[in-house]
Amino acid sequence: MRWPGILAYFAEYLPVTAATPLLTLEEGNTPLIRSTSLEKRLGVGALFFKFEGMNPTGSFKDRGMVVAIAKAKEEGKEVVMCASTGNTSASAAAYARRAGLSCIVLIPQGKIALGKLSQALMHGARVLAVRGNFDDALRIVRFITANYPVALVNSINPYRIEGQKTAAFEVVEWLEGVPDILALPVGNAGNITAYWRGFKEFFERGKTRALPKMFGFQAEGACPLVLGKPVENPQTVATAIRIGNPASWKGAIAARDESGGLIDAVSDEEILLAQRMLAEEEGLFVEPASAASLAGIMKKAREGVFRGKETVVCILTGHGLKDPDIAVRQNEGKIEEVEPREEAVVELLGLGGERP
Ligand code: F0G
């Protein structure tokens, strides 16, 4: 079957009416990839990676954005706006253009990954770099969209959460049940809220007889949900989740408590180590924030949380190409220069032996 995108495929679960345009860039239907090596070392029964970086703009944001933009179009809106650490702006810009709407994005100056910035610019969004952080940008966007004819497409727009919950549906359909543990990075906390809603909805409709435990992971320098209070000046190498006062705070806490799960913090070193392990051992290249899910599961494994039989799904929220700077910086000095001669390359590689 040809994949029709999430508005068409999951229409019965989404706010789709006869008037809703079936907008799509064929988002969703992302791979659920079984671990080959890390699963044994971590002492879990089975470890899967849901690679949301395979969405059309390279992150999970496309699932919610396609719904938010389709509804904005349906409601006759002409301009959409969001605050973003990068991925939301890339997705908003792409879907707005697809729907013939204009898009304004507010980003924290100097703190957004190059891949994401290039997307927003190429899709013709109006890009405003705020001399502040994400929380400042979101405050301004809330004010503007409340007072001017501009549609808000951050995840406080309920259509975003509706779209994002479809990732939980896919996990259930692909696994034919729920995992024991669903691990994901947490920034503004829309995604953990959306997954939990999706699992509960499938449970209520009898599509699964169990619910997973939700394990959310924040970066140590930006972990308001772990501290129980907003962080004034959030800092982390994982710029996507550099957020001090998550909009969906209550949703995240409810997901944690209702599921019997947890929200914990991982250090930047742990995040970058998990990012390298995913790339080197599993062949999966993700952006730093996405690696927080695996970093968290590695931390829990060290703490002896697992019993060797759990099924764990780590959500990999964004593609590694989003943030080429950090990837290259981590591998500094590894590129070897060579003269443009065959023998020079043979010698450098230490191939030796008879000359052909
Ligand atoms: N992973 C990535 C790659 C993200 O871009 C984000 C959020 C998250 C995880 C956290 O998800 O906010 O729902 O808890 N990025 C937003 C943005 C904030 O503007 O692109 P969350």
Side-chain angles (χ1 to χ4, degrees):
M1 186 193 81
R2 190 179 162 82
W3 178 254
I6 68 144
L7 278 173
Y9 188 81
F10 291 114
E12 62 180 298
Y13 303 99
L14 295 173
V16 175
T17 69
T20 311
L22 288 182
L23 183 68
T24 190
L25 289 167
E26 300 187 20
E27 60 294 317
N29 193 23
T30 56
L32 187 68
I33 301 162
R34 178 102 188 232
S35 162
T36 48
S37 75
L38 294 174
E39 153 181 315
K40 295 179 200 79
R41 258 194 282 154
L42 291 176
V44 296
L47 176 62
F48 292 89
F49 302 107
K50 186 156 179 66
F51 194 14
E52 288 287 283
M54 295 300 284
N55 276 299
T57 77
S59 86
F60 72 96
K61 303 288 181 180
D62 295 342
R63 293 178 185 276
M65 199 54 73
V66 70
V67 182
I69 300 284
K71 295 305 279 187
K73 182 81 180 167
E74 179 182 337
E75 290 159 12
K77 305 276 169 47
E78 287 173 4
V79 186
V80 299
M81 185 177 195
C82 64
S84 181
T85 56
N87 282 322
T88 299
S89 64
S91 188
Y95 283 90
R97 264 30 255 286
R98 190 84 186 164
L101 307 179
S102 9
C103 179
I104 308 164
V105 304
L106 261 61
I107 55 170
Q109 189 193 36
K111 297 290 183 186
I112 126 163
L114 199 58
K116 306 172 188 182
L117 185 59
S118 68
Q119 290 175 288
L121 292 168
M122 284 303 284
H123 292 302
R126 182 127 184 224
V127 178
L128 274 56
V130 176
R131 295 188 197 98
N133 60 31
F134 171 84
D135 305 286
D136 296 314
L138 184 57
R139 176 174 39 82
I140 297 165
V141 167
R142 280 181 193 261
F143 171 79
I144 302 228
T145 53
N147 292 288
Y148 297 88
V150 177
L152 173 141
V153 293
N154 277 104
S155 58
I156 37 183
N157 174 333
Y159 297 132
R160 284 275 315 278
I161 306 289
E162 284 296 298
Q164 282 174 212
K165 77 183 178 189
T166 60
F169 297 165
E170 289 177 15
V171 171
V172 175
E173 287 191 352
W174 288 202
L175 285 180
E176 298 183 337
V178 291
D180 297 300
I181 293 160
L182 192 291
L184 77 177
V186 176
N188 211 26
N191 212 26
I192 190 169
T193 304
Y195 270 89
W196 185 236
R197 183 184 297 178
F199 286 124
K200 281 200 300 189
E201 200 167 317
F202 258 27
F203 181 78
E204 281 154 17
R205 291 186 183 226
K207 293 237 170 198
T208 162
R209 277 176 304 181
L211 288 164
K213 286 184 169 31
M214 303 294 292
F215 280 21
F217 296 103
Q218 302 202 286
E220 245 168 38
C223 64
L225 296 169
V226 180
L227 300 173
K229 58 175 198 305
V231 173
E232 195 67 38
N233 185 18
Q235 294 299 342
T236 169
V237 69
T239 53
I241 51 172
R242 186 174 166 267
I243 293 174
N245 192 9
S248 297
W249 188 299
K250 287 195 186 120
I253 298 302
R256 180 193 69 187
D257 295 346
E258 290 171 24
S259 75
L262 54 86
I263 297 177
D264 201 354
V266 286
S267 69
D268 279 4
E269 292 69 36
E270 288 169 325
I271 288 172
L272 293 178
L273 175 65
Q275 186 197 22
R276 277 201 304 281
M277 289 174 82
L278 280 165
E280 289 174 9
E281 302 197 26
E282 305 284 1
L284 292 167
F285 185 26
V286 305
E287 64 168 288
S290 305
S293 54
L294 177 64
I297 290 300
M298 286 163 56
K299 179 173 177 183
K300 294 298 140 192
R302 286 197 302 278
E303 292 172 1
V305 165
F306 304 122
R307 293 283 163 270
K309 52 184 198 304
E310 297 85 353
T311 298
V312 178
V313 171
C314 281
I315 307 303
L316 305 178
T317 46
H319 202 285
L321 292 172
K322 291 279 192 173
D323 199 342
D325 287 333
I326 287 181
V328 172
R329 220 187 301 150
Q330 285 186 78
N331 291 283
E332 231 159 13
K334 283 203 194 149
I335 301 174
E336 302 165 80
E337 283 192 27
V338 67
E339 293 307 319
R341 289 182 294 106
E342 288 78 356
E343 313 83 73
V345 176
V346 168
E347 192 185 328
L348 184 65
L349 294 176
L351 295 173
E354 291 288 303
R355 276 181 74 124

